[in-house]
Amino acid sequence: MSPTADTDALAQAAAGVDALHTTPRLLALVNETRTHALGPGEVGLAVRNDTSGVLWCLLAGDPSTHTDLDALARAFVWPSYARARAPEAHLAQGDAFADAIHRHAAGGVIVLLSPIEGASACAKAVDLMLDTRSRRPLGASVAPRHIGRVLRDFEDAVARGDATAAHDLLDEAWSTGRLSVVNRSFLQTRELAAQRAWQEVLDHALTHRLSDLDLPRSVEHDLVKAIYWGVLRDALDRGDVASALGAFRDRVQPALGDIFRDHRFVPSAEGRKAWMVRWAAVGGVWPSAVRDEVIAAAATEEERAELNALATHAQFSDSTSEAFARALLSAHEDAAAFALAQAGSDLPLGDRAGVLVQAAVRLDDPARLADAAQAVEAAGGPTEVAAPAALAERIANYPRPAVPVDSWATWLNAIYEDPEWRNAIQVADDQGEAWTESLAHDQDSLVEEAAIVEALAGENALRMVLPRLVRAVIPTGPQRLETLRSRGRILQGLAYAISEDPASGLADLDALADILAALLETGLAPDEFSLMCDQIETVWRRAGGAPRLARWIVDVLSVLTDYPCPSTSRRAALIGALLAPLLTDAGRSKPLIPREAWLEIDDLLEGNELKDLVPESIRQRTERVDDDIRTEFAHLANRNVLIHTLVPAVAERAAAYLKTLVPSARVITDESHVGSTQLREHARNADYIVIASRASKHAATEFIREEASSPISWPSGKGWSSIVDALRSNPSLA
């Protein structure tokens, strides 16, 4: 049957349903459904009168959307307003209406039957259901996901400094109904930290009394960093340690002092300095072991010297007496007590084990609990431990990893030896950031771990950490290219593991894009490139290929066009596969993908054989600027806009585009690595500020935040279209 016949069949059926014409939104959806096949994440509607009522057919663009619609229909429509019916009972093959529906709904159809007298009420219920779905975060409405996967993607967005994605993923997590108010408050702390809004982090901690709660390690570290940037940094930069100590005593210790609970595995120089200041400011005597653990974690010799200098302002003791350890436990300095007992080889084994057991239980740290279990065994069993018998017996049976774990490499070995190790994910959550920081300064090739990664593909523990493991493996620093070449094997193993994950998300796509860029930079053979393309296509299809991921498409196209590819034909095939779901969206009356995204895609494909992958109809459509588009940016008229990114061409293209829409806007671009008098003036005078967090330096970002008097927006992608989108209407994150 021709598309015209399908359109006529659906139109004729809808014309006889009076209730449809009282709900304009449903009528518009029916008309839109008639004109094009649905893409992933899209919903359609077809209606007709039936012998026993009105038939409401909800069409899904893909299976995950069908699942989502089924859950929503149960909640909003039936059984109160309609009955769910088997599609085959009402949509018989050969019927023009039924055949048109099956051709339009790749993901299936949900059929509801309402009585004639209840048709208007059913129409209102369906309208409310679809309106609610449209208001949900796109990630939640396209494919309902397990809360653990949403949180994994959230943590990846925070680690990348992608504040916009973090905000959307937090909304998605909250919409699942599986997130407690307390945990939401923790995630809001992480979101603010992704924006590097340190004063807001501290205000949030005070408002929600976070110091009274058991904090996840990542949240504790965000708060410690916020204290450094918001309270201590200025004085320490001046070399005025006395003022820093005074500021800590006056502004931190009274209300936020209890945030400092665990000094071990602090994954940043700012956090380590804050801990040294804390020990000096609080006063008293501290075990030398805590100082040594923090200094040992220093990333550079320069930082080590700074920490040693700060340590001279605190009082440390080499004593490892039981009395000292018990005093620390009584003061709830559990991490310090554990460090003392672990270093205290002179302590009687029973006393040492007793301190380790009590401190580890309070800290709820799997690594320390495993060490305490070993100490109980060394002491001769629970009866020999100077701790409550029930507690000692419980810790004696605590599960330990198959091998000692102190890095990503040993963690991988541990889950390879024991895939059932129940604390694997928590250990990675607690220590992973510190391992990543350490690996950034290491030139280890990790060749032996590549085979382990491939063998563990599909194991839940590995799947939950894959994105952060990719970030850890891709090196930084002066020896980056040499180290990158040596790590090609493990990067290929990680790409394989990601492609084998049946529940891929945005974090997996970002990780694959990073792997692709790294491998193309070092050189890929044609067959290796083809395999990488296959893996990207697999994950892209699994993620739904939704229009909401257009910014990721732009980022991948930048990689594919910036680096030489060993096979131009395979590159073209990959780009075609990635663009296909977006072409469906372009045919909508109101596309989800903004005009500037298509313009940037066209820019990237300009000048080679790839340009033909964008149909001429789309190119002509995006060349037109209608009043609706100008209205979306009208608030920029006669305003100052500051765009900060380290990629000048991206900023200049965004500025040029904005000037075509709003000629009176004054757009300033900046690519500074650090603050300056000129940047201070720009930040203070700007009405709108955009910081491309994925292409900026923390020093300049911090400087702009301190000097800005206007909202800051954070683009989710690396391209110029993401910068423009961040300025559309009202900035989403201010």
Side-chain angles (χ1 to χ4, degrees):
M1 185 177 288
S2 68
T4 302
D6 280 352
T7 299
D8 292 342
L10 295 175
Q12 291 171 9
V17 181
D18 295 336
L20 183 65
H21 299 275
T22 63
T23 48
R25 187 185 354 246
L26 295 189
L27 182 60
L29 181 58
V30 167
N31 291 332
E32 185 175 330
T33 303
R34 292 191 289 113
T35 59
H36 77 288
L38 300 176
E42 292 186 313
V43 172
L45 178 65
V47 297
R48 77 172 176 187
N49 288 319
D50 190 79
T51 54
S52 53
V54 176
L55 213 59
W56 304 84
C57 301
L58 299 170
L59 287 63
D62 64 296
S64 61
T65 303
H66 183 278
T67 301
D68 185 42
L69 280 177
D70 182 64
L72 288 170
R74 291 170 185 267
F76 284 85
V77 185
W78 68 276
S80 299
Y81 302 100
R83 291 175 293 157
R85 307 294 293 174
E88 58 271 17
H90 295 270
L91 302 177
Q93 188 174 4
D95 176 71
F97 176 78
D99 290 345
I101 286 177
H102 290 310
R103 275 189 286 270
H104 280 68
V109 60
I110 294 169
V111 176
L112 305 173
L113 182 65
S114 69
I116 293 291
E117 63 276 11
S120 294
C122 184
K124 292 178 181 178
V126 173
D127 185 55
L128 177 61
M129 179 192 78
L130 295 176
D131 180 56
T132 301
R133 184 179 188 274
S134 69
R135 294 173 184 273
R136 287 165 50 187
L138 285 174
S141 62
V142 169
R145 296 190 292 157
H146 188 278
I147 183 69
R149 288 311 182 97
V150 180
L151 296 180
R152 185 197 68 160
D153 286 2
F154 172 85
E155 289 297 334
D156 183 71
V158 169
R160 292 175 179 273
D162 190 343
T164 300
H167 181 80
D168 292 342
L169 287 162
L170 175 54
D171 282 349
E172 181 181 350
W174 182 246
S175 73
T176 66
R178 301 290 302 278
L179 196 65
S180 70
V181 173
V182 170
N183 284 331
R184 185 190 191 193
S185 181
F186 290 158
L187 297 185
Q188 287 170 332
T189 304
R190 303 282 285 143
E191 179 192 351
L192 290 169
Q195 301 176 47
R196 303 185 71 79
W198 302 121
Q199 188 55 53
E200 289 89 336
V201 170
L202 296 178
D203 293 342
H204 181 79
L206 291 170
T207 301
H208 295 271
R209 301 183 62 177
L210 296 188
S211 60
D212 295 339
L213 304 175
D214 290 328
L215 301 175
R217 286 295 300 273
S218 57
V219 175
E220 178 185 342
H221 179 58
D222 284 342
L223 293 171
V224 171
K225 283 178 67 175
I227 288 169
Y228 170 83
W229 285 103
V231 180
L232 307 176
R233 195 277 300 264
D234 287 344
L236 292 178
D237 281 355
R238 297 193 307 269
D240 188 354
V241 178
S243 293
L245 300 183
F248 189 97
R249 295 187 191 103
D250 296 340
R251 298 173 55 190
V252 177
Q253 188 60 25
L256 298 173
D258 288 342
I259 283 169
F260 289 79
R261 296 173 188 175
D262 194 350
H263 64 276
R264 204 161 74 163
F265 304 118
V266 176
S268 72
E270 305 100 302
R272 290 186 283 269
K273 291 177 188 177
W275 267 99
M276 282 295 185
V277 170
R278 187 251 179 180
W279 286 321
V282 170
V285 181
W286 302 95
S288 298
V290 299
R291 175 199 60 200
D292 297 342
E293 286 179 343
V294 168
I295 291 176
T300 64
E301 289 300 324
E302 180 182 0
E303 184 196 345
R304 189 168 288 108
E306 291 178 4
L307 292 174
N308 274 310
L310 287 173
T312 62
H313 296 270
Q315 186 176 354
F316 295 100
S317 170
D318 293 333
S319 170
T320 57
S321 69
E322 182 190 4
F324 192 6
R326 296 291 176 186
L328 291 169
L329 285 175
S330 297
H332 293 282
E333 296 291 347
D334 303 308
F338 191 96
L340 181 151
Q342 198 166 41
S345 56
D346 296 335
L347 278 173
L349 293 179
D351 293 335
R352 179 175 180 271
V355 174
L356 292 176
V357 164
Q358 293 178 75
V361 168
R362 290 181 183 177
L363 292 166
D364 192 26
D365 173 8
R368 286 189 174 95
L369 288 166
D371 289 344
Q374 190 171 354
V376 171
E377 182 180 328
T383 58
E384 303 300 320
V385 175
L391 190 62
E393 289 177 5
R394 177 159 65 88
I395 299 305
N397 297 317
Y398 191 82
R400 284 171 265 177
V403 297
V405 174
D406 59 6
S407 65
W408 279 119
T410 54
W411 183 86
L412 288 169
N413 275 284
I415 59 173
Y416 177 76
E417 295 293 338
D418 180 13
E420 301 301 318
W421 178 30
R422 71 182 189 188
N423 294 314
I425 295 175
Q426 186 179 345
V427 169
D429 287 343
D430 289 347
Q431 303 180 34
E433 286 188 65
W435 297 341
T436 297
E437 185 193 32
S438 175
L439 196 57
H441 302 279
D442 193 337
Q443 297 180 38
D444 188 352
S445 67
L446 303 174
V447 170
E448 295 179 358
E449 282 67 38
I452 293 177
V453 166
E454 291 181 350
L456 290 172
E459 293 291 342
N460 186 58
L462 178 65
R463 283 158 49 185
M464 294 303 290
V465 305
L466 275 172
R468 74 177 95 168
L469 192 53
V470 170
R471 289 196 310 273
V473 169
I474 295 178
T476 58
Q479 304 297 322
R480 177 181 177 278
L481 192 57
E482 180 182 341
T483 306
L484 194 56
R485 288 194 181 99
S486 71
R487 292 181 182 174
R489 180 70 183 84
I490 191 170
L491 287 172
Q492 291 173 335
L494 288 167
Y496 168 78
I498 291 172
S499 69
E500 292 296 303
D501 185 350
S504 307
L506 178 59
D508 300 291
L509 291 170
D510 279 329
L512 280 178
D514 291 343
I515 293 173
L516 177 65
L519 293 177
L520 285 177
E521 186 177 0
T522 58
L524 275 177
D527 59 331
E528 293 173 331
F529 177 67
S530 180
L531 176 60
M532 187 79 210
C533 292
D534 291 342
Q535 291 164 341
I536 291 174
E537 289 176 4
T538 297
V539 176
W540 173 239
R541 286 193 300 269
R542 198 176 287 144
R548 67 194 173 95
L549 301 177
R551 72 91 180 150
W552 179 80
I553 292 289
V554 170
D555 291 347
V556 173
L557 291 189
S558 297
V559 172
L560 291 169
T561 53
D562 286 348
Y563 293 100
C565 295
S567 171
T568 55
S569 60
R570 187 64 187 91
R571 177 180 67 168
L574 172 60
I575 293 175
L578 297 180
L579 290 180
L582 276 62
L583 298 178
T584 302
D585 175 76
R588 295 162 56 101
S589 57
K590 292 185 177 180
L592 296 174
I593 300 173
R595 171 178 181 263
E596 60 270 11
W598 278 113
L599 288 174
E600 183 163 18
I601 290 171
D602 203 37
D603 288 349
L604 292 169
L605 303 183
E606 181 72 37
N608 54 46
E609 76 285 354
L610 301 173
K611 187 172 179 64
D612 293 337
L613 292 173
V614 178
E616 186 62 29
S617 59
I618 294 178
R619 190 174 291 112
Q620 291 175 355
R621 184 172 181 175
T622 55
E623 287 175 354
R624 298 192 301 269
V625 181
D626 56 32
D627 291 339
D628 288 343
I629 294 176
R630 295 188 187 279
T631 300
E632 290 177 328
F633 295 92
H635 59 287
L636 302 180
N638 299 309
R639 299 287 185 173
N640 295 323
V641 179
L642 172 62
I643 298 174
H644 172 72
T645 173
L646 295 185
V647 187
V650 167
E652 290 165 6
R653 182 67 175 89
Y657 180 80
L658 291 170
K659 292 290 287 184
T660 63
L661 297 179
V662 191
S664 64
R666 295 177 290 275
V667 184
I668 300 165
T669 62
D670 175 76
E671 57 190 270
S672 305
H673 287 244
V674 296
S676 65
T677 302
Q678 185 180 44
L679 182 56
R680 177 183 291 110
E681 182 179 351
H682 291 331
R684 289 179 176 178
N685 293 332
D687 299 296
Y688 296 94
I689 299 174
V690 180
I691 298 178
S693 58
R694 291 190 168 201
S696 62
K697 291 291 186 182
H698 284 170
T701 299
E702 298 294 348
F703 185 83
I704 293 172
R705 282 208 63 93
E706 291 176 357
E707 301 296 336
S709 57
S710 299
I712 295 178
S713 297
W714 307 84
S716 189
K718 300 176 183 177
W720 68 263
S721 59
S722 289
I723 291 176
V724 170
D725 190 50
L727 288 165
R728 175 175 272 103
S729 296
N730 294 309
S732 60
L733 291 175

